[in-house]
């Protein structure tokens, strides 16, 4: 519910401000699309299976669930990587060079992200890697446990781990470390903090927001990655079902964090959310006891 409501607000705000969106903000929209896509395509089936205490459907629904999870997971990771690279380029380059990152460039980058994610998602269907049920039996993913005795599966998971996890994660860390160093050097040159231009303060806030989004995603998926890699080299029976279930739930919760981060750091997003609340009739009216019909006091939205 939090994922759908939060990311729907992000998409509604983006549609409303479509003519004012800057190029890097398109990546934020793409991240919201991936998050809400995961919630709509996967969570209802997983929730129903949890109530059923067993997976609903057969192998087809299991492959569908695992494919959707892999597709949207890789898409989110690569989108965060692209966000970090663009933030680094915008922060480190001159104003004229940063203007070269146009909306068309970002749209091409987003298309590449989806094609790259789709390629990795369909590879198990083509015979490289496998999809299968989770050890706790109410969701499906890559069949990690088959990889410790299968060279085909092990080569897939090793390649996927390097190209879809390690390399993007290192790129994200390197970009934000580079930005932090650049900002630190710039602030050292300005002795009086009151003289720091508003544009620099805005860049710092946007960078901090992007860092928190990346940290939230990586932190959510790290326990799941650790449990999955344990299953590669050891029998999945060596882990209690709850040990494999909790990291999976924690990883899926990553789709709900981003709208709250936007709400805290973006004044524009806060204002647009309040306007959406007003448009949807989400008002709280207070009436005076003497003449409630004539003097309603309601919450209002201000720019």
């Amino acid at each position: 519910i939090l994922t759908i409501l939060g990311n729907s607000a992000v998409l509604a705000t983006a549609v409303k401000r479509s003519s004012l969106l800057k190029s890097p903000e398109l990546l934020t929209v793409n991240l919201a699309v991936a998050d809400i896509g995961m919630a709509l395509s996967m969570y209802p089936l997983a929730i129903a299976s949890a109530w059923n205490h067993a997976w609903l459907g057969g192998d087809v629904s299991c492959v569908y669930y695992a494919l959707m999870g892999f597709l949207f997971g890789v898409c989110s990771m690569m989108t965060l990587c692209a966000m970090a690279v663009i933030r680094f380029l915008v922060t480190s380059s001159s104003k004229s060079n940063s203007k070269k990152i146009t909306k068309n460039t970002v749209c091409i980058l987003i298309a590449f992200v989806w094609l790259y994610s789709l390629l990795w998602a369909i590879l198990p269907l083509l015979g490289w890697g496998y999809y299968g049920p989770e050890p706790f039996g109410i969701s499906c993913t890559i069949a990690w446990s088959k990889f410790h005795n299968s060279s085909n599966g092990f080569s897939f998971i090793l390649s996927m781990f390097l190209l879809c996890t390690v390399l993007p994660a290192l790129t994200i860390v390197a970009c934000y470390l580079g930005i932090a160093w650049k900002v630190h050097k710039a602030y050292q040159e300005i002795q009086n903090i009151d003289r720091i231009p508003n544009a620099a303060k805005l860049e710092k806030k946007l960078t901090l927001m992007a860092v928190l989004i990346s940290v939230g995603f990586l932190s959510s998926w790290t326990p799941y990655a650790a449990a999955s890699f344990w299953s590669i080299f050891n029998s999945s029976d060596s882990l209690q079902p709850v040990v494999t279930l909790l990291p999976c739930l924690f990883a899926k919760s990553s789709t709900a964090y981003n709208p709250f981060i936007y709400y805290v750091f973006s004044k524009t997003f806060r204002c647009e959310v309040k306007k959406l609340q007003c448009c949807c009739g989400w008002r709280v009216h207070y009436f005076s006891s003497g003449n409630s019909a004539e003097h309603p006091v309601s919450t209002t939205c201000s720019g």
Side-chain angles (χ1 to χ4, degrees), residues 80-292:
L80 290 173
C81 182
M83 288 173 62
V85 172
I86 288 183
R87 283 243 59 85
F88 178 78
L89 294 176
V90 169
T91 304
S92 302
S93 303
S94 62
K95 190 173 182 180
S96 59
N97 289 334
S98 62
K99 287 184 178 180
K100 294 180 180 179
I101 304 176
T102 63
K103 287 187 177 181
N104 289 335
T105 303
V106 176
C107 287
I108 293 173
L109 182 59
I110 290 173
F112 172 78
V113 166
W114 280 103
L115 289 174
Y116 185 82
S117 305
L118 182 62
L119 173 64
W120 280 101
I122 64 175
L123 283 176
L125 303 180
L126 302 178
W128 192 30
Y130 312 95
Y131 287 133
E134 299 269 17
F136 49 86
I138 57 172
S139 70
C140 297
T141 184
I142 299 170
W144 305 95
S145 59
K146 292 184 179 181
F147 295 157
H148 66 279
N149 56 5
S150 169
S151 58
N152 177 31
F154 186 79
S155 62
F156 171 78
I157 193 61
L158 183 61
S159 301
M160 184 273 294
F161 178 67
L162 292 175
L163 298 178
C164 298
T165 305
V166 174
L167 187 59
L170 290 177
T171 302
I172 291 171
V173 172
C175 286
Y176 288 130
L177 286 177
I179 293 172
W181 177 253
K182 181 75 174 179
V183 171
H184 173 70
K185 296 296 289 184
Y187 275 41
Q188 274 188 333
E189 296 174 1
I190 305 175
Q191 300 298 328
N192 188 355
I193 194 169
D194 294 331
R195 295 174 54 194
I196 298 175
N198 290 331
K201 294 179 181 179
L202 178 60
E203 283 295 330
K204 183 179 179 180
K205 181 181 288 188
L206 292 175
T207 300
L208 180 58
M209 183 176 71
V211 168
L212 289 177
I213 293 170
S214 300
V215 168
F217 183 85
L218 295 175
S219 300
S220 299
W221 282 93
T222 297
Y224 180 76
S228 300
F229 264 77
W230 176 270
S231 300
I232 295 177
F233 302 102
N234 302 274
S235 173
S236 57
D237 297 333
S238 61
L239 294 176
Q240 294 295 325
V242 69
V243 177
T244 57
L245 173 61
L246 292 179
C248 182
L249 295 178
F250 191 49
K252 298 299 190 294
S253 70
S254 65
T255 58
Y257 301 153
N258 295 339
F260 293 100
I261 297 175
Y262 303 147
Y263 192 85
V264 171
F265 285 90
S266 175
K267 183 179 180 180
T268 301
F269 182 64
R270 284 198 302 272
C271 180
E272 292 296 336
V273 168
K274 291 176 182 178
K275 289 180 181 179
L276 286 174
Q277 290 174 346
C278 292
C279 292
C280 295
W282 295 351
R283 292 191 176 195
V284 181
H285 295 274
Y286 299 93
F287 299 95
S288 61
S289 57
N291 193 0
S292 60

